[in-house]
Amino acid sequence: MSSSVSPLAPKTVPDMPAIAGVRLATAEAGIRYKNRTDVLLAVMDKGTAVAGVFTKSKCPSAPVEWCRAKLKGGKARALVVNSGNANAFTGKTGRGSTALTAKIAAKAVGCSESEIFLASTGVIGEPLDATKFDGVLERLAESAEPGDYLTAAKAIMTTDTFPKVATATVKLGKAKVTINGMAKGAGMIAPDMATMLSFIFTDAPIAPAALQALLKSGVEDTFNAVTIDGDTSTSDTLLAFATGAAAEHGAPKISRASDPRLKAFVKAFHQVLANLAEQVARDGEGARKLVEITVEGAVSKASARKIAMSIANSPLVKTAIAGEDANWGRVVMAVGKAGEPANRDKLSIAFNGIRVAKSGARDPSYDEAQVSEAMKAPEIAIKVSLGLGKGRDRVLTCDLTKEYIAINGDYRS
């Protein structure tokens, strides 16, 4: 966790309302950090539905494997998240740590171990001493209260410079339902499902299968459209919990994601995911520029996504932006290497609305002074027009600075 907050951090933090059926508590367990909270316990009421998407890495963490196995039950009573240690690449010891953590949490909450969900973030390859949770989780279960999502988000931070929270309220049937979310992520961020740790809570009465479908579709243009450095974590986890408490106030019970009554809810759900995803991009390690890359005129949306990601993950593009240099040649390079249909002579490129290249050459009206001034802005929009079709997509990233190297060079120190 950095001592200085990213200059791209949101200027305001939303008021996060309590959600019926969810209680939160944090503590210092001494996992790795000193004098800061490093464990979060979220306790949910009986009957809470759960859904999740996880890293596609072939080297997943022990908590990811645990959650995948337990997700089949569709119900959750508690979530335990620790920072400082990812419990990844830890073999039998890691699996033993997850089992012990779940056992301690289940006893503290009074439920089955199959209803406990786990997530860990931090250093890879270091054994996690789960005995440190003994006593701690019991105290947290007793003290947990509806409410402080900001404090909860702080407890799961690693190299993050600010806690990431988002909320939305929407009508479902006759009732108002709330959607709250928190996320952590600043480095080792690349799309391959959810790209960090994130947890969504709602009081809407949505069945596990429907919630799973909403979550799976929701990440595609939000978390899966964000990249910081092109590296996908072993621990990527996005879990959603629906307590169903709003049913008491007239919210209909939803069993299908296609239910037309969900239309407003789906929009709000996606807004929360998108808000959190953007905050992750804003907190990229060492970032000074938020970068939006739009590719249009591609042969398909999928093709546009691959080209946009090729640009977003290019160290040459990202360092040029850090240097406030509208080096469109690097964008051309990234388009060309993406392996997708592109025609050099139809290609146009713009930075912050100023076209710098047209029809495969420098724009005739190009003004170096005008573009240089535009590149000083904290938010940079790169627009690439391919002229081949109707495919369009958008991704978020950030610049690549010297501080990124400093942060990651010292990460285990």
Side-chain angles (χ1 to χ4, degrees), residues 104-126:
I104 294 170
K107 183 179 179 182
V109 174
C111 68
S112 165
E113 292 169 26
S114 65
E115 296 176 297
I116 302 295
F117 286 80
L118 309 172
S120 299
T121 180
V123 173
I124 294 171
E126 296 289 338

Side-chain angles (χ1 to χ4, degrees), residues 59 67 109 129 146 151 174 186 197 210 235 271 282 299 304 318 337-338 377 396:
C59 300
C67 288
V109 174
D129 183 3
T151 297
K174 298 179 180 179
L197 300 186
S235 306
Q271 286 175 344
R282 287 180 175 276
V299 296
K318 291 158 74 69
K337 75 170 186 176
L396 294 176

Side-chain angles (χ1 to χ4, degrees), residues 229-246:
D229 46 26
D231 288 330
T232 298
S233 172
T234 58
S235 306
D236 290 346
T237 298
L238 172 54
L239 293 168
F241 303 93
T243 68

